[in-house]
């Protein structure tokens, strides 16, 4: 497994055949969509969603070896991770400075480079691969914190019978009922929409690209017919991929 | 005008009658929605959208008095502002370290506290109120960078004839066609939907609260009838407010 510093670097690595597949976060149960990933899927050609994985998020509090929790003067992390552990930090480290890092991996580096005793909030994986001491774990305020990741590849997945399809589309002309008639292509065929989002076109405020996740595979007749209908009703339609729906394993 | 440190502090100040109105960003033409503001509108009772304002975003590069652009070793800003000036920074300051701050206002403080010669990226207003030297302005990569702000108050706006209405709603049971039949209440009355978004319920991945902006005022008969229809079709409906649509002034 090769780590890349940014979401777009993962997309480029798949596109350039440096790796077969890339894994990027697309949605968190508390924060919502990861817009960087949505924008990558919209803009980058040659990438499909081949699979999805849902992972519970477990935040670890780590320090350099030899640094005790009581001596910590500053805690680094990505602003989202700091926000997800706010109640814990206010209860246990009320007087400790919180500093924003560009990522949770960068937070560990910021901690290691700190002139004063420092800690970092990072995921379990980072706590395992860096030379750090785990001060605490599971420090997130909300226990239902899960992130959905998508697996990016050159092609999507063959039908399995329990699939989802992700698409994006836009309209050149803004007309009443545009979106309604478009999603009617799904409703009239009893296809459930899992998710609908809009992202800016980046050209003008108020112009959007819509992202929809629906149930079913693009090779199933109903979904294929709905997508044909969409192609006629929209000015741009991109099929981001069909892939097996994630189901939690029973342990 | 009283500055508050966070979006939720602005909401609380309006709610507690510390101020009559509060102004918060809700959408940027490049970055999309400000999810903090969406979540505040969903969760906080007693707040309505009374107006909207669209402001072009102009990033300034500032330093402490006496610091020359050539000597700068680190540039602080909020990650979004750093991202919006990426091409400029790579062309003009390729070797300079970029550091994340919690806000553009915090970036000015981080810059002032820096041990090495530092600069910060901040809006024009911050460049005016702090004791800083303007090194450059208009440094954002994309010139169509605009932010839409909403004015929060205890009540929304009386009809003006060119209004918009913002609402949010959710369904307890996930059924095919739920969203379709809901937005059909607008389409069947020729009411244009300006925007549709989903936010997590924060209870479970895959459950959403939908946010819609439509044309028209909630006191206009067609919009009122559509909202009545929505009330019957959804399990939660909150009218966030009707307010005059922002139109750019001709100068």
């Amino acid at each position: 497994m090769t780590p890349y510093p940014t979401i777009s670097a993962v997309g480029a690595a798949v596109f350039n055949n440096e790796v077969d597949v890339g894994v990027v976060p697309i949605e968190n149960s508390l924060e919502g969509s990861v817009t960087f990933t949505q924008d990558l899927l919209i803009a980058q050609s040659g990438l499909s969603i081949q699979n999805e994985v849902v992972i519970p998020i477990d935040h670890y509090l780590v320090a350099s070896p030899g640094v005790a929790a009581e001596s910590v003067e500053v805690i680094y992390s990505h602003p989202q991770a700091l926000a997800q552990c706010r109640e814990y930090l206010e209860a246990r480290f009320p007087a400790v400075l919180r500093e924003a890092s560009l990522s949770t991996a960068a937070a560990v580096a910021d901690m290691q480079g700190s002139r004063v005793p420092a800690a970092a909030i990072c995921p379990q994986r980072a706590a395992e691969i860096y030379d750090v001491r785990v001060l605490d774990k599971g420090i997130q305020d909300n226990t239902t914190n899960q992130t959905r990741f998508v697996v990016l590849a050159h092609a999507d997945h063959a039908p399995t019978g329990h699939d989802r399809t992700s698409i994006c589309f836009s309209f050149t002309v803004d007309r009443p009922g545009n979106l309604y008639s478009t999603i009617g292509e799904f409703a009239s065929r009893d296809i459930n929409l899992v998710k609908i989002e809009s992202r800016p076109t980046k050209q003008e405020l108020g112009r959007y690209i819509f992202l929809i996740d629906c149930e079913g595979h693009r090779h199933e007749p109903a979904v294929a017919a709905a997508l044909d209908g969409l192609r006629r009703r929209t000015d741009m339609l991109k099929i981001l991929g069909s892939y097996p729906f994630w189901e939690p394993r029973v342990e």
Side-chain angles (χ1 to χ4, degrees), chain A:
Chain A
M1 200 160 77
T2 315
Y4 286 88
T6 61
I7 286 168
S8 51
V10 175
V14 175
F15 182 73
N16 298 326
N17 293 307
E18 287 170 41
V19 293
D20 290 333
V21 297
V23 181
V24 293
I26 192 159
E27 184 183 9
N28 175 269
S29 58
L30 301 178
E31 305 291 337
S33 291
V34 180
T35 56
F36 265 122
T37 301
Q38 292 181 320
D39 291 349
L40 174 74
L41 286 166
I42 291 168
Q44 170 89 59
S45 58
L47 285 187
S48 289
I49 303 177
Q50 194 174 71
N51 229 316
E52 64 173 8
V53 188
V54 175
I55 296 179
I57 297 299
D58 206 11
H59 285 306
Y60 277 55
L61 185 70
V62 304
S64 291
V67 171
E70 307 78 59
S71 68
V72 166
E73 293 179 31
V74 54
I75 296 176
Y76 289 96
S77 201
H78 186 273
Q80 269 193 2
L82 290 170
Q84 290 174 1
C85 303
R86 194 175 53 81
E87 289 173 24
Y88 171 89
L89 294 175
E90 283 175 5
R92 301 290 205 81
F93 296 93
V96 172
L97 197 68
R98 290 171 224 167
E99 282 285 348
S101 297
L102 286 169
S103 67
T104 50
V108 175
D110 288 344
M111 172 200 93
Q112 289 170 330
S114 170
R115 291 160 196 245
V116 298
I121 296 171
C122 66
Q124 178 176 4
R125 175 84 186 138
E128 286 164 2
I129 60 179
Y130 294 107
D131 177 29
V132 295
R133 178 179 173 197
V134 173
L135 298 179
D136 206 347
K137 56 187 174 183
I139 66 167
Q140 60 277 3
D141 298 329
N142 195 314
T143 51
T144 62
N145 189 349
Q146 294 185 311
T147 296
R148 186 163 75 97
F149 293 80
V150 288
V151 178
L152 303 179
H154 285 291
D156 61 355
H157 202 286
T160 67
H162 56 292
D163 302 300
R164 277 189 183 168
T165 298
S166 294
I167 60 168
C168 66
F169 58 87
S170 64
F171 307 102
T172 307
V173 181
D174 195 22
R175 263 190 303 265
N178 252 349
L179 189 63
Y180 177 67
S181 62
T182 304
I183 72 175
E185 297 285 347
F186 296 97
S188 65
R189 294 176 175 92
D190 254 348
I191 301 168
N192 195 25
L193 294 191
V194 180
K195 190 159 199 260
I196 184 163
E197 290 271 0
S198 42
R199 288 293 303 152
T201 57
K202 314 208 171 193
Q203 280 149 19
E204 194 186 340
L205 205 62
R207 294 257 160 225
Y208 304 100
I209 295 165
F210 298 94
L211 293 114
I212 281 183
D213 288 358
C214 72
E215 290 182 355
H217 194 284
R218 66 187 173 89
H219 286 151
E220 290 169 21
V223 177
L227 294 177
D228 279 344
L230 250 69
R231 210 166 270 119
R232 285 191 300 272
R233 291 182 184 281
T234 59
D235 296 297
M236 180 279 285
L237 170 71
K238 186 174 175 184
I239 298 171
L240 304 173
S242 293
Y243 47 89
F245 170 83
W246 174 264
E247 283 167 307
R249 241 155 287 188
V250 181
E251 317 232 357

